[in-house]
């Protein structure tokens, strides 16, 4: 069973994919973390993210592993725990040109398919249903309005977690800055030549702007159940 969840930043796909994987007994695969890991490795090795050839070399050479930890997952880059380091603003700035690099995509897609071959995967990203796993049994395109996505990201950065019902007050200026960054990244991800963000023709579209986290997860779990032919209990 392969479940592909694509969508823009802040649509809630990471939290939803993690929860769906837990409820359905599948393995969660965060492909955005892979592109972030390549970007981090470039920064650590002093490679300019816009130097396509040097970045391609890093992508072929870097070791990216996922290690289960409690109810989460650690990201190990070249043998070192990089779970927090791949979420910094520096990495966020470097990751757009890195993920638009066709050689990087080729290396990451090969890695993702190797994970998929073991079966039982919920993978989330931008091109999972269109390029990586075009024959996934379940394909979802999860979106939300830019405003709803910016608010979620701002809450997350302030230490809140809307998926777990932990809201925190956020500064309006901080929220606006997140919104501007999101709109810029959306534009970049959707218009790049290599695997632009777009829904697969056969993806089920879910707009999460006005849905609770549990409602989103329930909808996806129902699609998995329909594909598998059996219900999954709530965790
Ligand atoms: O989902 P995220 O914010 O962690 O993704 C980080 C970057 O990687 C983002 O700029 C889009 C890119 N990405 C991609 O191009 N293809 C994927 N399958 C996943 C992420």
């Amino acid at each position: 069973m392969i479940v592909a969840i694509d969508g823009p930043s802040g649509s809630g796909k990471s939290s939803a994919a993690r929860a769906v994987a837990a409820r359905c007994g599948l393995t969660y695969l965060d492909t955005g973390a892979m592109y972030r890991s390549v970007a981090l490795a470039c920064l650590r090795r002093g490679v300019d993210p816009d130097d396509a050839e040097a970045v391609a070399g890093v992508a072929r050479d870097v070791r990216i592993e996922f290690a289960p930890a409690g109810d989460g997952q650690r990201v190990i880059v070249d043998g070192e725990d990089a779970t927090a380091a791949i979420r910094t603003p520096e990495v966020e700035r470097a990751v757009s040109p890195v993920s638009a690099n066709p050689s990087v995509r080729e290396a990451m897609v090969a890695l993702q398919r190797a994970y998929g071959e073991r079966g039982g995967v919920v993978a989330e990203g931008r091109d999972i249903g269109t390029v990586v796993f075009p024959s996934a049994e379940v394909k979802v395109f999860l979106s939300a309005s830019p405003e709803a996505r910016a608010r979620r990201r701002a809450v997350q950065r302030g230490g809140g977690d809307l998926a777990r019902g932990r809201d925190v007050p956020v500064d309006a200026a901080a929220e606006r800055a997140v919104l501007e960054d999101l709109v810029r990244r959306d534009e970049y991800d959707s218009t790049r030549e290599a695997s632009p963000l777009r829904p697969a023709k056969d993806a089920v579209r879910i707009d999460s702007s006005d849905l609770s986290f549990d409602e989103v997860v329930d909808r996806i779990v129902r699609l998995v159940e329909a594909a598998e032919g059996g219900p999954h209990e709530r965790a």
Side-chain angles (χ1 to χ4, degrees):
M1 164 66 61
I2 293 190
V3 182
I5 305 180
D6 287 307
S9 306
S11 56
K13 60 186 191 308
S14 309
S15 316
R18 207 173 289 128
V20 169
R23 263 175 68 183
C24 301
L26 304 169
T27 304
Y28 166 56
L29 183 62
D30 177 357
T31 66
M34 294 182 169
Y35 291 98
R36 287 169 181 268
S37 297
V38 178
L40 176 70
C42 290
L43 297 178
R44 289 197 168 156
R45 298 176 192 194
V47 166
D48 177 356
D50 289 307
D51 180 344
E53 218 163 290
V55 170
V58 174
R60 280 192 292 269
D61 179 62
V62 69
R63 263 190 309 124
I64 305 169
E65 294 153 299
F66 294 100
D71 64 348
Q73 203 172 51
R74 317 297 300 170
V75 182
I76 316 292
V77 178
D78 288 329
E80 252 181 60
D81 189 336
T83 314
I86 60 165
R87 306 279 161 200
T88 61
E90 291 75 30
V91 167
E92 214 122 274
R93 271 192 296 276
V95 75
S96 283
V98 165
S99 64
N101 183 319
S103 308
V104 173
R105 301 207 71 83
E106 198 181 308
M108 294 304 110
V109 168
L111 204 55
Q112 291 152 21
R113 288 188 179 144
Y115 272 98
E117 267 168 28
R118 298 180 209 163
V121 164
V122 181
E124 55 99 347
R126 306 290 190 289
D127 57 343
I128 309 302
T130 47
V131 175
V132 184
F133 299 121
S135 48
E137 285 87 344
V138 175
K139 290 186 193 179
V140 171
F141 192 82
L142 190 59
S143 62
S145 68
E147 291 72 20
R149 292 188 285 127
R151 177 160 162 67
R152 286 179 194 151
R153 268 285 145 96
V155 168
Q156 230 171 28
R157 289 204 179 145
D161 184 351
L162 293 175
R164 295 200 163 93
R166 269 205 318 269
D167 202 351
V168 292
V170 289
D171 178 52
E175 196 171 325
R176 215 169 28 250
V178 175
L179 177 60
E180 280 165 16
D181 185 48
L182 272 183
V183 170
R184 186 182 55 76
R185 276 217 283 159
D186 280 359
E187 169 75 15
Y188 196 103
D189 290 345
S190 329
T191 55
R192 68 183 179 200
E193 221 161 282
S195 306
L197 171 69
R198 60 181 170 80
K201 279 195 189 71
D202 50 352
V204 175
R205 295 175 192 232
I206 301 178
D207 183 332
S208 71
S209 312
D210 298 316
L211 295 176
S212 72
F213 176 70
D214 287 339
E215 285 171 326
V216 172
V217 175
D218 279 341
R219 284 194 193 190
I220 303 174
V221 170
R222 279 203 297 272
L223 295 172
V224 178
E225 288 170 350
E228 275 183 335
H232 285 282
E233 295 307 317
R234 234 165 202 281

